[in-house]
Amino acid sequence: MEHTLSPLQQEVLNKYKQLSLDLKALDETIKQLNHSQHRQQHDQQITVSPDEILQEMREIEVKIGLVGTLLKGSVYSLILQRKQEQEALNRSDR
């Protein structure tokens, strides 16, 4: 019995495959960071818990969200400004 996938099903499977690969790469990067950080801190006898790292990542996430919000606001403001300038030009041409 042969099963064929619809293009949408194949696309979803490909997205899951890519997500899996990305998560594995992220896991490997975190392991490398923890290992290198552990070696550096081993010399100084300081340890950083995963909870502290997670808290720092959350703080970075909040800052990135704030930057994104500011960027969206700036783009919206620029669009409105250009629209108003265009309307002013249209009125002056009449």
Side-chain angles (χ1 to χ4, degrees), residues 37-52:
Q37 194 173 32
H38 180 67
R39 279 189 302 181
Q40 291 171 356
Q41 292 172 351
H42 181 67
D43 297 337
Q44 301 171 355
Q45 297 299 322
I46 300 172
T47 59
V48 176
S49 72
D51 290 333
E52 291 172 319

Side-chain angles (χ1 to χ4, degrees), residues 57-68:
M57 290 177 73
R58 285 186 181 136
E59 290 172 11
I60 291 170
E61 181 182 15
V62 167
K63 291 176 183 177
I64 289 172
L66 178 60
V67 169

Side-chain angles (χ1 to χ4, degrees), residues 80-94:
L80 285 178
Q81 182 182 3
R82 288 188 178 170
K83 183 179 178 182
Q84 289 171 349
E85 289 172 357
Q86 186 65 36
E87 289 173 354
L89 281 173
N90 290 342
R91 277 184 260 145
S92 66
D93 289 342
R94 291 181 185 174

Side-chain angles (χ1 to χ4, degrees), residues 15-49:
K15 295 285 184 185
Y16 274 115
K17 180 180 178 183
Q18 186 60 46
L19 177 61
S20 173
L21 293 173
D22 291 345
L23 289 174
K24 286 179 184 178
L26 177 62
D27 183 52
E28 195 59 39
T29 301
I30 290 171
K31 285 178 185 176
Q32 289 173 357
L33 286 172
N34 284 338
H35 183 68
S36 67
Q37 194 173 32
H38 180 67
R39 279 189 302 181
Q40 291 171 356
Q41 292 172 351
H42 181 67
D43 297 337
Q44 301 171 355
Q45 297 299 322
I46 300 172
T47 59
V48 176
S49 72

